[in-house]
Amino acid sequence: MLDFLKSEPQNIVVVGDAFVRPETMERAVRASRVNAAEVSRVFWGNEDKDDFAARQMNLEKNGPEAEPWAEGLAPLLKDCTVLMTHFSPVPRGLIDRAPKLRAVLTCRGGMEHIDVKAAGERKIPVINVIRNAVPVAEFALGLMLAMTRNIASSHHRLMEGEWLKEFPNSGFVSTLGSLTVGLVGLGNVGMELAIRLKALEVPLIVQDDYLDRDRMKRNGLGDVTIVETKEDVFRLADLVSLHLRLTPETRGIIDQSCFSLMKPSSYLINTARGGLVNQADLIDALRRHAIAGAALDVFDREPLTPEDGFAGLDNVVITPHIAGATVDAIPNSPFLLMRTVDKILTQGLKDRIVNYKEIFSD
């Protein structure tokens, strides 16, 4: 499929940053099946991780044109055949200045920092890696338990000296197996979460406009209930967990119209993207106790401030966008990525070629 990566010598440029080091990227490339004739290292940004977080948020909200390329990258583009990045942006202008570019690799799942359309127009495959699907799925499951069983709330009250056993949801606290969990989006994180919930014998319903039923069957989810619309999920589920990408079409689609469908005993879980949810509508629903609660790891504006409206609510669990932050996932992502590339070369794996249909449509 991409045999040129191993059959022909490649001039590879790796662009690392404060979280994924360029030297780690080079080691991963040289340990793979790719014919790495030359590897050049570039560093994007600086060592300030707070600055990195701000740049990341800007790219996720505004796309690959929102931040400058890595300093020192431009002179290397003329001969670059493979570009490997973590979060350094790959806009159309960069692609246009790389006449020999034949593949773009990224050490993450999100594509906000890459102009995938521009790459597709040049028939350049973009290959990503799902490095944190399992960590985020585990975290989402943890948030469900923390919210429904009052783990976080009771801890907070005990730390303040209160021995409290009554909470706003005390009248309907249940085991997970007695609740129906609805997943809006069944991509990589949603799939991993569904596998874990199924193992715990939790009733599931799922909705995804691009549902891969064969993949569901391969993962033992062939008998899971599929519903047609996200509104069906909000109407039927006791816990609604979001697993959608943030796009112009999905921004703000979870709003009052969805919350009004939920039972007063239902909860919202969001470990995907804060921008999916109309935050003002959610806070209003929480204040009125129109829904039982929400557990959130992501927000439309980060970091949160007291003015964002969550302070003082007694039916919310919030964490500072840490669902995917494990010590193994991000630093090791170059090796995970190159193992994915090796599977493409040896097994014809196509799931991680983001623009596969555009590249191989002819």
Side-chain angles (χ1 to χ4, degrees), residues 184-230:
V184 181
L186 199 67
N188 295 289
V189 175
M191 187 71 69
E192 293 292 345
L193 178 58
I195 291 168
R196 284 152 179 77
L197 290 168
K198 181 77 181 299
L200 293 172
E201 300 183 343
V202 177
L204 282 172
I205 59 175
V206 302
Q207 189 276 328
D208 192 314
D209 291 339
Y210 307 97
L211 196 63
D212 187 337
R213 294 173 186 261
D214 289 337
R215 189 181 180 197
M216 288 182 66
K217 291 177 182 177
R218 291 197 302 271
N219 284 285
L221 302 171
D223 59 347
V224 169
T225 300
I226 299 168
V227 296
E228 291 297 320
T229 68
K230 72 179 189 301

Side-chain angles (χ1 to χ4, degrees), residues 107-125:
C107 300
R108 61 187 300 265
M111 291 288 103
E112 299 92 343
H113 61 309
I114 297 175
D115 193 329
V116 178
K117 181 180 179 182
E121 290 170 1
R122 285 263 308 274
K123 299 294 183 181
I124 298 170

Side-chain angles (χ1 to χ4, degrees), residues 11 13 38 40 42 69-80 94 97-99:
N11 188 320
V13 177
E38 184 174 346
S40 302
V42 180
W69 318 342
E71 186 176 346
L73 177 58
L76 301 172
L77 293 176
K78 180 181 178 182
D79 296 315
C80 174
L94 184 155
R97 290 182 60 175

Side-chain angles (χ1 to χ4, degrees), residues 106-329:
T106 181
C107 300
R108 61 187 300 265
M111 291 288 103
E112 299 92 343
H113 61 309
I114 297 175
D115 193 329
V116 178
K117 181 180 179 182
E121 290 170 1
R122 285 263 308 274
K123 299 294 183 181
I124 298 170
V126 178
I127 302 170
N128 70 348
V129 65
I130 304 305
R131 66 188 184 192
N132 61 358
V134 169
V136 175
E138 291 177 347
F139 199 91
L141 179 56
L143 286 179
M144 291 179 185
L145 290 167
M147 185 76 247
T148 61
R149 301 297 298 277
N150 298 307
I151 297 170
S153 299
S154 58
H155 168 80
H156 177 69
R157 293 301 183 89
L158 273 173
M159 294 297 287
E160 292 188 336
E162 290 187 74
W163 186 269
L164 189 67
K165 292 191 175 185
E166 291 295 322
F167 298 91
N169 65 342
S170 290
F172 44 87
V173 171
S174 304
T175 59
L176 279 183
S178 298
L179 303 174
T180 296
V181 174
L183 306 182
V184 181
L186 199 67
N188 295 289
V189 175
M191 187 71 69
E192 293 292 345
L193 178 58
I195 291 168
R196 284 152 179 77
L197 290 168
K198 181 77 181 299
L200 293 172
E201 300 183 343
V202 177
L204 282 172
I205 59 175
V206 302
Q207 189 276 328
D208 192 314
D209 291 339
Y210 307 97
L211 196 63
D212 187 337
R213 294 173 186 261
D214 289 337
R215 189 181 180 197
M216 288 182 66
K217 291 177 182 177
R218 291 197 302 271
N219 284 285
L221 302 171
D223 59 347
V224 169
T225 300
I226 299 168
V227 296
E228 291 297 320
T229 68
K230 72 179 189 301
E231 287 78 14
D232 292 330
V233 177
F234 279 87
R235 186 180 300 109
L236 298 171
D238 299 298
L239 283 148
V240 178
S241 190
L242 305 180
H243 302 285
L244 298 170
R245 287 195 180 278
L246 181 61
T247 67
E249 293 73 30
T250 61
R251 177 170 289 280
I253 62 167
I254 310 302
D255 57 14
Q256 176 56 30
S257 66
C258 296
F259 303 135
S260 66
L261 298 173
M262 296 175 72
K263 294 173 281 190
S265 57
S266 296
Y267 305 86
L268 178 73
I269 312 294
N270 190 10
T271 55
R273 288 288 184 264
L276 296 169
V277 179
N278 183 312
Q279 197 161 284
D281 286 358
L282 173 59
I283 290 172
D284 176 66
L286 291 168
R287 282 177 176 161
R288 294 186 293 107
H289 288 86
I291 63 175
L296 314 167
D297 184 56
V298 289
F299 308 90
D300 194 30
R301 182 176 65 179
E302 298 179 6
L304 278 183
T305 67
E307 290 72 36
D308 285 307
F310 290 104
L313 294 176
D314 62 359
N315 54 352
V316 65
V317 172
I318 53 177
T319 53
H321 203 154
I322 57 172
T326 61
V327 296
D328 52 343

Side-chain angles (χ1 to χ4, degrees), residues 85-106:
T85 181
H86 174 223
F87 239 112
S88 179
V90 184
R92 179 179 291 273
L94 184 155
I95 294 170
D96 289 344
R97 290 182 60 175
K100 299 179 182 179
L101 188 62
R102 300 184 70 184
V104 175
L105 317 179
T106 181

